[in-house]
Amino acid sequence: MPRPVLVLKFGTASITKPTGELHEPALVDIARQVAALRDRYDVVLVSSGAVGAGRGTIRDYRGEISQRKAAAAVGNLLLLNVYSRFFGVYGVTIAQSLCERHHFANRDQFLQLKDTYEELWANGIIPIVNENDVVSNRELKFSDNDELATLLAVGFGAEVLMLCTSVGGLLDPDGNLIRYVPRLTEAVFAVVRTDKSSMGLGGMASKLTFAKLATRMGIRVVIFGLAEPDSIRKALDGELGTQIEPQPITMSARSRWLGSGSLVVGRVRVDAGAAAALQRRSSLLAVGVSEVLGEFSAGEVFEIVDEADVAVAVARAKLSSFDLSALSSRQNVEVANANDIVLL
């Protein structure tokens, strides 16, 4: 019987010093705690820090995209060597996995990724994942590792997604830790500060955005810090950090993958009639689309929002946004088949 999957994400601020060098005591502690979790879970470790680790090797570093890519090329090697050394103390072998968005955009590619991870777990190996910053054709700020960790958690049907942060969890306006969140509502988002660490790309708003996606897919999310001894175990057991409850879900694996939002490249707004039809598991017809927001091609995934701009579904397009705009008055043109629509 397959074991539950645990996805752990560590951001740059959690594992590097303010100057960018790797904070080795933090990595030592991560290795110790994660090695102990292998008896309970198949673990995926998503780790930032490559750019921070490598930036000191780039002359006149100013944070330009080419410099970030070069820093990542150096830093990935430094980061994995350190992880390998510290996990090796516990007899644990690690593997590097550099992912790009297209690995999640194509079902066959994703299944190959899944098969590889399952083979690694079968051999007691922990995959350490990072975005492939060196060849990514998107600027890094558009795809942080909170998103990558969430896509992995959703795709693998993880039991728990843990997001490490330098502040230890979700804080209220007075700076007090919010220990338990039954559901991520607008009121919860309203308490989030918009600042972020100087080294990282994400922040609490990013974490909550992807936490909402994960919980909608039935995954428990824990936002925690490393300040206390055995913090990973304690956070996993609900003793510290912010615990965000999963929502009920009955989706198949394919629907979870489609519904993860990994491929969303545009949105369409639908009228009340179309929104109601979707809830009855009907296909989306062009006549129900009131506005096309963003561009997408046939076969890509777009988000469907209602008249109040609330996301109600994601769907795989049968035609491009250009064609949809031209055919919006045609009543019987199918934009997305019911089998390719996942209600949110």
Side-chain angles (χ1 to χ4, degrees):
M1 185 173 179
R3 298 196 305 171
V5 174
L6 167 64
V7 178
L8 274 157
K9 183 263 179 178
F10 297 95
T12 303
S14 300
I15 62 172
T16 62
K17 302 174 184 177
T19 52
E21 297 99 330
L22 294 174
H23 184 50
E24 293 199 357
L27 295 173
V28 167
D29 199 40
I30 288 170
R32 177 184 63 82
Q33 294 188 67
V34 173
L37 290 173
R38 291 190 308 146
D39 293 337
R40 297 168 58 185
Y41 294 96
D42 287 332
V43 179
V44 179
L45 198 160
V46 179
S47 179
S48 304
V51 174
R55 62 180 285 184
T57 65
I58 307 302
R59 289 192 298 270
D60 301 322
Y61 184 84
R62 298 177 300 279
E64 297 170 355
I65 188 65
S66 60
Q67 291 180 319
R68 293 182 65 84
K69 289 176 181 290
V74 177
N76 270 321
L77 182 62
L78 297 173
L79 182 64
L80 265 293
N81 279 340
V82 172
Y83 271 125
S84 180
R85 178 156 47 95
F86 295 152
F87 272 103
V89 173
Y90 304 97
V92 177
T93 301
I94 63 165
Q96 183 179 47
S97 176
L98 296 177
C99 291
E100 301 170 46
R101 293 183 66 84
H102 67 81
H103 294 143
F104 299 91
N106 180 285
R107 178 66 171 166
D108 290 337
Q109 286 192 351
F110 177 76
L111 290 176
Q112 290 177 31
L113 180 70
K114 188 172 185 289
D115 288 344
T116 300
Y117 282 20
E118 289 174 347
E119 186 65 29
L120 291 172
W121 291 328
N123 287 277
I125 300 168
I126 294 177
I128 297 185
V129 190
N130 198 356
E131 183 180 8
N132 193 355
D133 298 334
V134 177
V135 299
S136 175
N137 62 1
R138 290 174 179 249
E139 290 195 5
L140 305 189
K141 65 182 179 182
F142 294 122
S143 182
D144 64 29
N145 275 344
D146 293 324
E147 178 182 21
L148 175 55
T150 303
L151 299 184
L152 287 164
V154 171
F156 282 91
E159 181 177 283
V160 189
L161 168 63
M162 300 184 70
L163 303 173
C164 186
T165 173
S166 58
V167 297
L170 177 61
L171 306 181
D172 67 18
D174 296 323
N176 300 311
L177 180 69
I178 299 173
R179 292 293 311 276
Y180 177 73
V181 178
R183 191 179 188 92
L184 283 168
T185 63
E186 290 302 316
V188 177
F189 276 84
V191 308
V192 177
R193 295 173 59 187
T194 58
D195 58 353
K196 59 188 178 183
S197 72
S198 60
M199 294 298 299
L201 292 168
M204 192 56 68
S206 169
K207 287 174 176 57
L208 288 187
T209 296
F210 295 113
K212 184 175 182 180
L213 168 59
T215 56
R216 282 193 319 210
M217 298 297 146
I219 299 168
R220 178 166 68 99
V221 176
V222 182
I223 302 176
F224 72 107
L226 292 173
E228 295 188 24
D230 294 322
S231 53
I232 298 175
R233 179 194 60 77
K234 289 178 180 176
L236 184 60
D237 292 343
E239 298 174 19
L240 57 80
T242 299
Q243 310 287 323
I244 307 175
E245 281 296 299
Q247 304 305 306
I249 186 170
T250 58
M251 293 182 183
S252 67
R254 180 182 181 278
S255 292
R256 282 200 305 271
W257 169 76
L258 176 62
S260 69
S262 59
L263 320 175
V264 169
V265 293
R267 293 191 302 160
V268 300
R269 184 177 289 115
V270 298
D271 59 29
L278 290 174
Q279 296 300 322
R280 297 193 299 269
R281 302 300 304 148
S282 298
S283 299
L284 176 63
L285 302 181
V287 68
V289 175
S290 55
E291 188 176 2
V292 179
L293 306 166
E295 298 181 357
F296 50 86
S297 301
E300 292 188 314
V301 174
F302 61 91
E303 186 176 53
I304 303 172
V305 300
D306 63 16
E307 293 174 326
D309 246 11
V310 175
V312 295
V314 291
R316 186 175 300 281
K318 292 189 69 175
L319 67 167
S320 70
S321 56
F322 177 80
D323 290 337
L324 173 57
S325 297
L327 297 171
S328 58
S329 62
R330 299 272 297 274
Q331 296 226 1
N332 295 322
V333 174
E334 192 174 73
V335 179
N337 186 270
N339 292 330
D340 286 330
I341 299 173
V342 175
L343 299 176
L344 301 177

